[in-house]
Amino acid sequence: MDFSFSEDQMLLQQTVRDFLEGECTVEHVRSMWDTDTARSPEFWGKLAEIGIPGLLVSEDHGGLGMSEVDMVLVLEETGRAGTAEPVIHTACVAAQLLQESGNDAVAKEWLPKIAEGSAIVAVQHDQSPFVSDAHVADLLILNSGDAVHAVPRADVQLTEQANNDPAKRLSSVEWTPRAGTLLADGDAARALQAAAFDRGVFAAAAQLLGVCQQLSEMTVLYATQRKQFGVPIGSFQAVKHMLAEEKVQTEYGRSHVYRAAHSVANAAPSRAVDVSMAKRAMAENAVSLAKTALQVHGALGYTWEQDLHVWMRRAWSLDTAWGNTAFHRARVSAAVIDGAFPAIPFGYEVPAA
Amino acid sequence: MELDFTSDQVAFRKEARSWLEANVPSEPLESFDSKEGFDQHCEWEKKLQGGGWAMVPWPVEYGGRGADLLHWLVFEEEYYRAGAPGRVNQNGIFLLGPTIMEYGTDEQKKRFLPKMASSEEVWAQGWSEPNAGSDMANIQATAVLEGDEYVINGQKTWASRGAYAHWLFGMFRTEPDSKRHNGLTFILCPLDAPGVTVRPIDKLSGKPAFAEVFFDNARVKAENRLGPAGEGWSVAMATAGFERGLMLRSPARFQNTARKLVELYRETEAQGEFIDSRVRDEVARCWADSEAYTLNTYQTVSRLLSGGKIGAEASLNKIFWSELDIKMHELALELLGARGELLPSAPAAKGVGEWLDGYIFALAGPIYAGANEVQKNIIAERILGLPRK
Ligand SMILES: Cc1cc2nc3c(=O)[nH]c(=O)nc-3n(C[C@H](O)[C@H](O)[C@H](O)COP(=O)(O)OP(=O)(O)OC[C@H]3O[C@@H](n4cnc5c(N)ncnc54)[C@H](O)[C@@H]3O)c2cc1C
């Protein structure tokens, strides 16, 4: 029993943080908003150079062969930096789904491309009729009932859906399942879908943790500099207490997120409820922090020009992504109260072996 | 990250489980806030100590089991699972014990720790005074060194279990004209010393659970000073994190309450009672929050075992567990409907009265061990770095 990260894991986190502070500046993030695709192959290539898209890809396929327990700190940093690229879809969900699919040909073709940064893979799931980053995807993982397909973009019709986060592009996808694109069906497909969904939920929760960190830090900085009544507004107890209450929620949400990383990496029986607890905690915290941060920034925060809303919009869009809070609340209740699937208290009830 | 227990930890869990199953009283003891209950709880502590379970993480020579904090967490899980009695000497074993371990001389350790572990000597915490509550640095009680004795004058208040406890640990002003945190000394004082008067105070539950303690030229041996003279504040603060951040409220306590709350929900639902959907959601959330608290504590213990310390983040804990405890009891009372106001002694209560007792107790959580508003100031200034002024 050791609920902590290794030095290597923390070093990886620091490396990614330093890299993103240099390359994924808020100017970079904002500059992408007005482009056609909101995506830059050049930037994705740089992410690939430090190994992010291939982090979970096995070494055989040119990746780093790491696990979600390594990935969680990286995801946190991408949230903190406001990185909107499809790290969740491609680097987490698709990479593992293709590895778990048992379809060697598809895995062999696509995993090395994911790892080297030359392919974007978008993933559809049942909690949304839309697919994020489908417009730049080389391959789409699509569900058709109990079947999972891997479909090249040329074979689908996209309708872009304008949304509240200028860093994100959403599309409706029209396509026709064909035998040639089938990745798995029946029980195997259901297991893949469930694992992929839980992995996406976990990854969104981890990014939200970084978003919360950033919203809190920006607001503390602002409250320290902005003076009214001759003193920094951050010296007012009302302001202190609002931010302290958010911090309490962030830190306990963090514990859920780290546990969820472990549960996903180990396909724990409690995986579904663990990721839902994490997502719910972090999404609620992020949406609340967005309001608190805005309140403390005053009218300045209510402008398009101020950078605060870069993260407010990340908070909102990650809140809806991979099942919104209402969905995860219901899932946690179903597990904990109805026993619909395993909710296992940590430590407390380890069966006497 | 390794979230499985070692075979040694599993074996330890089994050993604790079987000892507790064989020894935990089948009928609940009287509340330790009454004299009868206090004595029953001291008896239970003696038995616990006899089995070697009183203070799992203490060295064997001081009455402990010489295990690490992870074993302590496992023990706590089993302790709550078994429904074992509350710890009557919690101020001693969880708060003073670690301080003596860090600051005590060898003589003091030998003198005080074993009797603390067996609850032969039960301790009261004497920090608060009428004018020193949240503002603890405003302590006014004095201790003047005369020869090899301190002569103590002044008043302490709100000392939990002070009505029946044997000893009190407190901070006293030993340097005349000293201000605030300076000039305070940590002193251990027997409550039967001449010049000490204990006056019980009934708390919200109606039981004499606290006491005021008056010192009128009470004499205490100078050897009962803990840590350096004049540095009582740092001595007390060195382990305050342990109180708020770890030992006072172990996660198993809340996991156990959450489990009972879920059971109560299921029973209420099975009886066909109307339950609004908010309650369903909130019950599940409490279960999740008790998990978060547990996970967070395992993180803290993992950090401590690799040489880390508990700092200001103890304030996060204090807020989280105290709010969670209230929320769980409020939900239980809501589920109980008209039975929610029954005392445990009511014939129709059939066990549900414990929720009301628990609620009344939980309400104190945001006040003691440092009011939650003060914890928020600490979080804002020391964790977030917001300006003091
Ligand atoms: C059940 C129980 C058991 C206790 N046991 C012990 C014990 O064994 N030994 C012991 O020494 N003491 C004990 N106490 C006392 C406890 O430590 C004090 O109650 C606590 O420190 C608060 O002090 P106070 O009650 O004087 O409240 P005050 O200091 O008067 O504060 C009242 C309220 O004012 C607000 N407030 C105060 N200061 C600030 C601030 N700086 N910023 C914002 N808001 C503020 C808070 O809301 C606070 O709750 C116990 C209390 C209770 C309820």
Side-chain angles (χ1 to χ4, degrees):
Chain A
M1 174 64 66
D2 176 15
F3 197 169
S4 66
F5 292 97
S6 67
E7 274 176 32
D8 283 350
Q9 286 162 337
M10 289 188 294
L11 188 67
L12 173 66
Q13 175 178 30
Q14 190 59 49
T15 308
V16 172
R17 176 179 291 205
D18 293 343
F19 167 82
L20 292 172
E21 274 174 4
E23 297 290 339
C24 189
T25 58
V26 68
E27 292 75 27
H28 164 81
V29 172
R30 295 186 75 131
S31 72
M32 299 309 298
W33 287 359
D34 302 324
T35 63
D36 269 356
T37 61
R39 296 290 174 258
S40 146
E42 188 202 340
F43 178 67
W44 188 254
K46 285 183 189 164
L47 286 177
E49 272 167 36
I50 66 159
I52 292 180
L55 209 101
L56 297 180
V57 174
S58 70
E59 286 171 275
D60 292 351
H61 289 121
L64 296 173
M66 291 184 175
S67 86
E68 284 80 1
V69 177
D70 307 292
M71 187 73 170
V72 64
L73 299 176
V74 172
L75 287 162
E76 197 179 322
E77 291 308 320
T78 56
R80 190 169 172 273
T83 311
E85 273 66 18
V87 175
I88 298 179
H89 283 253
T90 302
C92 283
V93 183
Q96 288 290 40
L97 185 142
L98 292 174
Q99 288 182 125
E100 288 170 3
S101 72
N103 187 324
D104 286 347
V106 177
K108 236 188 207 136
E109 180 182 358
W110 290 96
L111 288 170
K113 289 187 187 166
I114 290 178
E116 70 181 22
S118 63
I120 301 280
V121 184
V123 182
Q124 188 221 332
H125 63 80
D126 289 349
Q127 287 309 309
S128 173
F130 315 119
V131 181
S132 159
D133 278 300
H135 67 302
V136 288
D138 300 284
L139 187 74
L140 289 89
I141 309 285
L142 301 169
N143 295 331
S144 164
D146 278 349
V148 179
H149 290 256
V151 188
R153 182 160 45 117
D155 297 346
V156 305
Q157 280 282 333
L158 299 181
T159 311
E160 196 161 317
Q161 305 288 345
N163 76 93
N164 192 25
D165 185 357
K168 180 162 97 174
R169 297 288 187 273
L170 276 184
S171 309
S172 308
V173 181
E174 279 175 68
W175 64 294
T176 315
R178 284 202 321 264
T181 58
L182 183 72
L183 206 52
D185 58 6
D187 286 347
R190 272 190 294 272
L192 273 186
Q193 287 166 341
F197 181 68
D198 287 347
R199 195 166 271 116
V201 174
F202 144 72
Q207 277 201 340
L208 280 162
L209 174 59
V211 170
C212 289
Q213 190 70 31
Q214 175 68 10
L215 283 169
S216 178
E217 282 172 18
M218 285 178 90
T219 309
V220 166
L221 184 65
Y222 183 75
T224 307
Q225 290 166 347
R226 165 76 174 167
K227 285 191 175 176
Q228 284 293 275
F229 303 96
V231 293
I233 55 169
S235 67
F236 296 127
Q237 207 173 58
V239 170
K240 284 183 179 168
H241 284 197
M242 281 197 283
L243 289 167
E245 283 159 18
E246 300 291 1
K247 183 66 177 170
V248 172
Q249 299 308 320
T250 307
E251 290 311 308
Y252 284 89
R254 181 190 299 281
S255 302
H256 275 310
V257 170
Y258 293 168
R259 200 259 174 114
H262 186 272
S263 297
V264 170
N266 295 281
S270 58
R271 183 186 70 199
V273 75
D274 293 342
V275 300
S276 281
M277 289 193 293
K279 175 75 172 16
R280 173 199 186 159
M282 288 326 310
E284 286 185 347
N285 186 211
V287 170
S288 171
L289 243 171
K291 282 188 285 191
T292 299
L294 174 58
Q295 185 67 17
V296 173
H297 278 78
L300 193 68
Y302 200 71
T303 61
W304 189 265
E305 192 184 336
Q306 226 288 337
D307 290 331
L308 179 63
H309 76 122
V310 173
W311 283 273
M312 289 172 65
R313 286 175 203 276
R314 291 310 297 150
W316 296 332
S317 82
L318 285 164
D319 172 40
T320 354
W322 300 95
N324 70 3
T325 295
F327 170 82
H328 291 292
R329 267 187 203 147
R331 213 157 76 130
V332 173
S333 301
V336 169
I337 292 182
D338 308 331
F341 46 94
I344 301 170
F346 193 79
Y348 191 77
E349 264 177 334
V350 174
Chain B
M1 191 181 288
E2 166 58 62
L3 300 188
D4 287 329
F5 291 92
T6 61
S7 54
D8 164 51
Q9 287 158 348
V10 173
F12 173 83
R13 181 185 294 282
K14 279 186 166 165
E15 194 185 343
R17 187 173 292 188
S18 60
W19 189 89
L20 289 162
E21 275 169 4
N23 290 281
V24 168
S26 49
E27 286 298 309
L29 307 184
E30 289 295 313
S31 155
F32 56 42
D33 293 342
S34 69
K35 177 67 180 144
E36 191 195 350
F38 182 86
D39 292 341
Q40 287 176 355
H41 279 80
C42 290
E43 275 306 304
W44 160 250
E45 290 287 338
K46 209 181 206 176
K47 196 171 191 184
L48 201 56
Q49 165 67 9
W53 299 103
M55 260 332 260
V56 165
W58 286 9
V60 177
E61 54 179 321
Y62 301 136
R65 206 177 183 88
D68 67 17
L69 285 171
L70 277 172
H71 285 84
W72 176 71
L73 285 178
V74 170
F75 172 73
E76 288 283 297
E77 282 156 12
E78 292 304 319
Y79 196 82
Y80 281 97
R81 185 180 188 276
R87 306 300 300 270
V88 68
N89 204 8
Q90 48 185 272
N91 285 337
I93 55 180
F94 296 150
L95 309 184
L96 178 60
T99 317
I100 293 185
M101 219 74 84
E102 189 159 334
Y103 284 95
T105 61
D106 281 348
E107 281 73 51
Q108 287 174 324
K109 291 179 190 167
K110 283 192 201 114
R111 162 66 190 83
F112 292 112
L113 294 173
K115 288 189 175 174
M116 189 185 289
S118 64
S119 289
E120 201 174 319
E121 291 173 348
V122 173
W123 288 82
Q125 178 191 46
W127 284 4
S128 304
E129 295 184 4
N131 288 309
S134 300
D135 187 11
M136 200 163 82
N138 196 35
I139 283 176
Q140 283 155 13
T142 58
V144 176
L145 195 56
E146 278 185 14
D148 61 355
E149 286 181 330
Y150 280 110
V151 180
I152 303 186
N153 280 286
Q155 180 190 349
K156 295 288 174 182
T157 191
W158 313 130
S160 290
R161 287 164 297 286
Y164 315 116
H166 310 104
W167 281 74
L168 172 141
F169 61 95
M171 273 189 278
F172 300 88
R173 208 161 278 287
T174 45
E175 292 168 20
D177 303 325
S178 63
K179 292 256 157 15
R180 312 284 309 152
H181 314 79
N182 305 309
L184 297 168
T185 297
F186 200 122
I187 297 173
L188 313 175
C189 174
L191 285 170
D192 59 1
V196 176
T197 310
V198 175
R199 200 178 71 84
I201 305 173
D202 288 352
K203 66 175 183 181
L204 197 60
S205 61
K207 301 210 177 72
F210 310 119
E212 304 181 274
V213 183
F214 299 89
F215 301 86
D216 181 11
N217 288 316
R219 289 179 173 268
V220 174
K221 291 200 194 103
E223 68 198 37
N224 287 350
R225 186 189 76 218
L226 186 60
E231 289 179 32
W233 185 270
S234 337
V235 176
M237 288 307 130
T239 49
F242 248 67
E243 170 177 17
R244 288 174 202 145
L246 186 62
M247 292 218 131
L248 184 65
R249 294 292 175 251
S250 77
R253 177 189 180 110
F254 303 104
Q255 283 181 304
N256 194 49
T257 308
R259 188 177 54 77
K260 287 186 185 159
L261 179 63
V262 169
E263 277 167 19
L264 178 64
Y265 183 95
R266 289 179 181 156
E267 285 162 18
T268 312
E269 194 178 45
Q271 282 154 12
E273 304 276 338
F274 169 77
I275 309 177
D276 87 47
S277 58
R278 178 190 56 82
V279 172
R280 175 182 160 88
D281 171 49
E282 287 290 306
V283 166
R285 165 194 287 267
C286 285
W287 190 90
D289 282 354
S290 78
E291 287 302 295
Y293 184 65
T294 304
L295 294 164
N296 194 274
T297 305
Y298 273 91
Q299 285 177 281
T300 302
V301 166
S302 299
R303 197 174 71 237
L304 289 173
L305 290 181
S306 57
K309 290 229 176 282
I310 299 184
E313 69 280 0
S315 296
L316 300 163
N317 280 45
K318 165 72 212 311
I319 292 176
F320 197 76
W321 64 248
S322 58
E323 291 184 349
L324 172 60
D325 205 24
I326 293 184
K327 201 155 58 171
M328 291 196 287
H329 286 88
E330 278 174 346
L331 287 164
L333 294 185
E334 204 170 330
L335 284 165
L336 288 172
R339 290 190 301 156
E341 64 178 327
L342 294 184
L343 291 176
S345 56
K350 298 197 188 91
V352 304
E354 311 306 325
W355 286 111
L356 179 61
D357 266 359
Y359 177 59
I360 301 281
F361 183 72
L363 286 176
I367 303 173
Y368 65 77
N372 283 11
E373 289 69 27
V374 173
Q375 306 306 326
K376 287 178 197 173
N377 297 342
I378 295 174
I379 294 167
E381 289 163 16
R382 296 201 216 144
I383 299 182
L384 297 175
L386 285 162
R388 294 177 79 87
K389 293 236 156 26

Coordinates of all heavy atoms in Angstrom, one line a residue, chain A residues 162-198:
Chain A
A162 N -21.5 24.4 -33.9 CA -20.9 25.5 -33.2 C -21.2 25.3 -31.7 O -22.2 24.9 -31.3 CB -21.5 26.8 -33.7
N163 N -20.1 25.5 -30.9 CA -20.3 25.3 -29.5 C -19.6 26.4 -28.7 O -18.9 27.2 -29.2 CB -19.8 23.9 -29.1 CG -18.3 23.8 -29.0 OD1 -17.7 24.0 -28.0 ND2 -17.7 23.6 -30.2
N164 N -19.8 26.4 -27.4 CA -19.4 27.4 -26.5 C -17.9 27.6 -26.2 O -17.5 28.5 -25.6 CB -20.2 27.2 -25.2 CG -20.1 28.4 -24.3 OD1 -19.9 29.6 -24.7 ND2 -20.2 28.2 -23.0
D165 N -17.2 26.6 -26.6 CA -15.7 26.6 -26.4 C -15.0 26.8 -27.7 O -15.0 25.8 -28.5 CB -15.3 25.3 -25.7 CG -13.8 25.4 -25.3 OD1 -13.1 26.4 -25.6 OD2 -13.3 24.4 -24.7
P166 N -14.5 28.0 -28.0 CA -13.8 28.2 -29.3 C -12.6 27.3 -29.5 O -12.1 27.2 -30.6 CB -13.4 29.7 -29.3 CG -13.6 30.1 -27.9 CD -14.4 29.2 -27.1
A167 N -12.2 26.6 -28.4 CA -11.0 25.7 -28.6 C -11.4 24.3 -29.0 O -10.6 23.5 -29.3 CB -10.3 25.6 -27.3
K168 N -12.7 24.1 -29.1 CA -13.2 22.8 -29.4 C -14.1 22.8 -30.7 O -14.9 23.7 -30.9 CB -14.0 22.3 -28.2 CG -14.6 20.9 -28.3 CD -15.0 20.4 -27.0 CE -16.5 20.6 -26.7 NZ -17.0 20.0 -25.4
R169 N -14.0 21.8 -31.5 CA -14.9 21.6 -32.7 C -15.6 20.3 -32.5 O -15.0 19.3 -32.3 CB -14.0 21.6 -34.0 CG -13.2 22.8 -34.3 CD -14.1 24.0 -34.7 NE -13.3 25.1 -35.2 CZ -12.9 26.1 -34.4 NH1 -13.1 26.0 -33.1 NH2 -12.1 27.1 -34.9
L170 N -17.0 20.5 -32.6 CA -17.8 19.3 -32.4 C -18.5 19.0 -33.7 O -18.9 20.0 -34.4 CB -18.9 19.6 -31.4 CG -18.7 19.5 -29.9 CD1 -20.0 19.8 -29.2 CD2 -18.2 18.1 -29.6
S171 N -18.7 17.8 -34.0 CA -19.5 17.4 -35.3 C -20.5 16.3 -35.0 O -20.3 15.4 -34.2 CB -18.5 16.9 -36.3 OG -17.4 17.8 -36.5
S172 N -21.6 16.4 -35.8 CA -22.4 15.2 -35.9 C -21.8 14.3 -37.0 O -21.2 14.9 -38.0 CB -23.8 15.6 -36.4 OG -24.3 16.5 -35.5
V173 N -21.9 13.0 -36.9 CA -21.3 12.1 -37.8 C -22.3 11.2 -38.5 O -23.1 10.6 -37.8 CB -20.2 11.2 -37.1 CG1 -19.5 10.3 -38.1 CG2 -19.2 12.1 -36.4
E174 N -22.4 11.2 -39.8 CA -23.2 10.3 -40.5 C -22.4 9.2 -41.2 O -21.4 9.6 -41.8 CB -24.1 11.0 -41.5 CG -25.3 11.7 -40.9 CD -26.0 12.4 -42.0 OE1 -26.6 11.8 -42.9 OE2 -26.0 13.7 -41.9
W175 N -22.7 8.0 -41.0 CA -21.9 6.9 -41.6 C -22.7 5.7 -41.7 O -23.7 5.5 -41.0 CB -20.6 6.7 -40.7 CG -20.9 6.2 -39.3 CD1 -21.6 6.9 -38.4 CD2 -20.6 4.9 -38.8 NE1 -21.7 6.1 -37.2 CE2 -21.1 4.8 -37.5 CE3 -20.0 3.8 -39.4 CZ2 -21.0 3.7 -36.7 CZ3 -19.8 2.6 -38.5 CH2 -20.3 2.6 -37.2
T176 N -22.2 4.7 -42.4 CA -22.9 3.4 -42.6 C -21.9 2.3 -42.2 O -20.8 2.3 -42.8 CB -23.3 3.2 -44.1 OG1 -23.9 4.4 -44.5 CG2 -24.3 2.0 -44.2
P177 N -22.2 1.5 -41.2 CA -21.3 0.5 -40.8 C -21.1 -0.5 -41.9 O -22.0 -0.9 -42.7 CB -22.1 -0.2 -39.6 CG -23.2 0.7 -39.2 CD -23.5 1.6 -40.4
R178 N -19.8 -0.9 -42.1 CA -19.5 -1.9 -43.1 C -18.6 -2.9 -42.5 O -17.9 -2.7 -41.5 CB -18.8 -1.2 -44.3 CG -19.7 -0.4 -45.2 CD -19.0 -0.2 -46.6 NE -17.6 0.0 -46.4 CZ -17.0 1.2 -46.4 NH1 -17.8 2.3 -46.5 NH2 -15.7 1.4 -46.2
A179 N -18.7 -4.1 -43.1 CA -17.9 -5.3 -42.5 C -16.4 -4.9 -42.4 O -15.7 -5.2 -41.4 CB -18.1 -6.5 -43.3
G180 N -15.9 -4.2 -43.4 CA -14.5 -3.9 -43.4 C -14.0 -3.0 -42.3 O -12.8 -2.9 -42.1
T181 N -14.9 -2.3 -41.7 CA -14.5 -1.3 -40.6 C -14.7 -1.9 -39.2 O -14.4 -1.3 -38.2 CB -15.2 0.0 -40.7 OG1 -16.6 -0.2 -40.6 CG2 -14.9 0.7 -42.0
L182 N -15.3 -3.1 -39.1 CA -15.7 -3.7 -37.8 C -14.4 -4.0 -37.0 O -13.5 -4.6 -37.5 CB -16.4 -5.0 -38.0 CG -16.9 -5.6 -36.7 CD1 -18.1 -4.8 -36.1 CD2 -17.4 -7.1 -37.0
L183 N -14.4 -3.5 -35.8 CA -13.3 -3.7 -34.9 C -13.6 -4.8 -33.9 O -12.8 -5.7 -33.6 CB -13.0 -2.4 -34.1 CG -11.6 -2.2 -33.6 CD1 -10.5 -2.3 -34.6 CD2 -11.5 -0.8 -33.0
A184 N -14.9 -4.8 -33.4 CA -15.3 -5.8 -32.5 C -16.8 -5.8 -32.4 O -17.4 -4.7 -32.6 CB -14.7 -5.6 -31.1
D185 N -17.4 -6.9 -32.0 CA -18.9 -6.9 -31.8 C -19.2 -7.8 -30.6 O -18.4 -8.4 -30.0 CB -19.7 -7.2 -33.0 CG -19.4 -8.5 -33.6 OD1 -18.6 -9.3 -32.9 OD2 -19.9 -8.9 -34.7
G186 N -20.5 -7.7 -30.2 CA -21.0 -8.6 -29.1 C -20.3 -8.2 -27.8 O -20.0 -7.0 -27.5
D187 N -20.0 -9.2 -27.0 CA -19.5 -9.0 -25.6 C -18.1 -8.2 -25.7 O -17.9 -7.4 -24.9 CB -19.3 -10.3 -24.9 CG -20.6 -10.9 -24.4 OD1 -21.6 -10.2 -24.5 OD2 -20.6 -12.1 -24.0
A188 N -17.3 -8.6 -26.7 CA -16.0 -8.0 -26.8 C -16.2 -6.5 -27.0 O -15.5 -5.6 -26.4 CB -15.2 -8.6 -27.9
A189 N -17.2 -6.1 -27.9 CA -17.4 -4.7 -28.2 C -17.9 -4.0 -26.9 O -17.5 -2.9 -26.6 CB -18.4 -4.6 -29.3
R190 N -18.8 -4.7 -26.2 CA -19.4 -4.0 -25.0 C -18.3 -3.7 -24.0 O -18.3 -2.7 -23.4 CB -20.5 -4.8 -24.4 CG -21.9 -4.5 -25.0 CD -23.0 -5.2 -24.3 NE -22.9 -6.6 -24.4 CZ -23.5 -7.3 -25.3 NH1 -24.2 -6.7 -26.3 NH2 -23.4 -8.7 -25.4
A191 N -17.4 -4.7 -23.8 CA -16.3 -4.5 -22.9 C -15.4 -3.3 -23.4 O -14.9 -2.5 -22.6 CB -15.5 -5.8 -22.7
L192 N -15.1 -3.3 -24.7 CA -14.3 -2.2 -25.2 C -15.0 -0.8 -25.0 O -14.3 0.1 -24.6 CB -14.1 -2.4 -26.7 CG -13.0 -3.2 -27.2 CD1 -12.9 -3.1 -28.8 CD2 -11.6 -2.8 -26.6
Q193 N -16.3 -0.8 -25.3 CA -17.0 0.5 -25.1 C -17.0 0.9 -23.7 O -16.8 2.1 -23.4 CB -18.5 0.3 -25.6 CG -18.6 0.2 -27.1 CD -20.0 -0.3 -27.5 OE1 -20.7 -0.9 -26.7 NE2 -20.4 -0.1 -28.7
A194 N -17.2 0.0 -22.8 CA -17.3 0.4 -21.4 C -15.9 0.9 -20.9 O -15.8 1.9 -20.2 CB -17.7 -0.8 -20.5
A195 N -14.8 0.2 -21.3 CA -13.5 0.6 -20.9 C -13.2 1.9 -21.5 O -12.6 2.8 -20.8 CB -12.5 -0.5 -21.3
A196 N -13.5 2.1 -22.8 CA -13.2 3.4 -23.4 C -13.9 4.5 -22.8 O -13.4 5.6 -22.5 CB -13.6 3.3 -24.9
F197 N -15.2 4.3 -22.4 CA -16.0 5.4 -21.8 C -15.4 5.7 -20.5 O -15.1 6.9 -20.2 CB -17.4 5.0 -21.7 CG -18.3 6.0 -21.1 CD1 -18.5 7.2 -21.7 CD2 -18.8 5.9 -19.8 CE1 -19.3 8.2 -21.2 CE2 -19.6 6.9 -19.2 CZ -19.8 8.1 -19.9
D198 N -15.1 4.7 -19.6 CA -14.6 5.0 -18.3 C -13.2 5.7 -18.4 O -12.9 6.6 -17.6 CB -14.5 3.7 -17.5 CG -15.8 3.2 -17.0 OD1 -16.8 4.0 -17.1 OD2 -15.9 2.0 -16.6

